[in-house]
Amino acid sequence: MKATHVPPTGVERRLGEDELIVTKTDPRGLLTYTNDVFLRISALREEEAIGQPHNIIRHPDMPRAIFKLLWETIGERREVFAYVQNLAMDGAHYWVLAHVTPSVDGQGRLVGYHSSRRRPEDATVAEIGRIYAELRAEERRHDASTAGLDASWAMLQRLLDDRGQTYDEFIWSLTNGAMR
Ligand SMILES: Cc1cc2nc3c(=O)[nH]c(=O)nc-3n(C[C@H](O)[C@H](O)[C@H](O)COP(=O)(O)O)c2cc1C
């Protein structure tokens, strides 16, 4: 049975400090594995999740530039860390620091992707939430979706230039180093 979202309610659901959300996907991003923590926090049943695209839990406030960065990085067979706000099926949202990695077989062929996520610090969520709101506003200012993405991508690069940081340095400067 296919799950459908309700609009965001603004209710935040918090991941416990010792909890880890794990999902795996095939190379196209379709879910092949979901752990119990993922299902509980996303208000999903396993049979609703498996086979669905990972954007099943996409939150409308997430900037597209972050997903572009995610897919470009894993497409180059590199790991990526990202702060992500997700939308549960009951309209609650939850924040994670995600670590996404490509999985390869013995011949080096891509077989899918793996993501594990922990709860970020509250202060980190507040700061990244402000930055994402600016990126998202930039995306919404443009009619054409590619123009919006180009503009928020450029804004993200400017933000990193202003801070004198690489993307990875930026991620770790916002956190106390959990998951490193
Ligand atoms: C392993 C893996 C994990 C992902 N985890 C999430 C996630 O937790 N939340 C999310 O919104 N997108 C996640 N994505 C990205 C989605 O595939 C998708 O790009 C994103 O939701 C944007 O969807 P859209 O292009 O329909 O706007 C993940 C992708 C992969 C490969």
Side-chain angles (χ1 to χ4, degrees):
M1 199 185 89
K2 196 170 183 326
T4 46
H5 276 294
V6 303
T9 56
V11 171
E12 181 173 9
R13 183 160 297 140
R14 293 165 67 88
L15 193 58
E17 268 184 29
D18 297 332
E19 288 187 310
L20 194 62
I21 296 177
V22 180
T23 58
K24 295 182 198 174
T25 73
D26 70 5
R28 290 178 298 162
L30 301 182
L31 288 160
T32 55
Y33 172 80
T34 53
N35 76 344
D36 287 346
V37 182
F38 173 82
L39 293 171
R40 195 194 71 232
I41 200 160
S42 308
L44 271 167
R45 290 197 306 273
E46 191 176 30
E47 61 269 27
E48 294 171 322
I50 300 297
Q52 294 299 315
H54 221 313
N55 66 5
I56 189 174
I57 49 162
R58 190 200 200 294
H59 195 290
D61 290 348
M62 273 300 292
R64 294 171 61 213
I66 301 303
F67 295 121
K68 171 180 158 76
L69 185 126
L70 182 146
W71 277 103
E72 281 189 3
T73 311
I74 60 179
E76 293 167 359
R77 303 280 178 97
R78 293 189 290 127
E79 65 174 7
V80 65
F81 289 89
Y83 298 101
V84 181
Q85 180 179 200
N86 280 326
L87 183 62
M89 290 304 129
D90 58 3
H93 66 268
Y94 60 93
W95 279 93
V96 293
L97 172 55
H99 177 221
V100 185
T101 53
S103 308
V104 293
D105 68 12
Q107 275 76 49
R109 286 181 301 237
L110 182 77
V111 293
Y113 299 106
H114 182 131
S115 177
S116 44
R117 314 149 174 103
R118 279 196 185 282
R119 184 164 77 91
E121 299 291 306
D122 289 345
T124 307
V125 168
E127 191 171 353
I128 199 74
R130 278 192 294 275
I131 293 168
Y132 282 4
E134 284 178 26
L135 292 172
R136 200 60 192 136
E138 186 67 22
E139 290 175 4
R140 287 191 176 119
R141 270 223 302 277
H142 299 262
D143 288 341
S145 66
T146 50
L149 180 55
D150 289 348
S152 74
W153 184 255
M155 186 184 244
L156 179 61
Q157 302 311 315
R158 272 199 310 278
L159 179 138
L160 296 174
D161 287 349
D162 289 350
R163 296 171 75 116
Q165 292 173 327
T166 64
Y167 173 76
D168 284 340
E169 287 167 349
F170 163 67
I171 290 287
W172 298 116
S173 69
L174 296 180
T175 183
N176 66 2
M179 277 181 78
R180 252 201 288 198

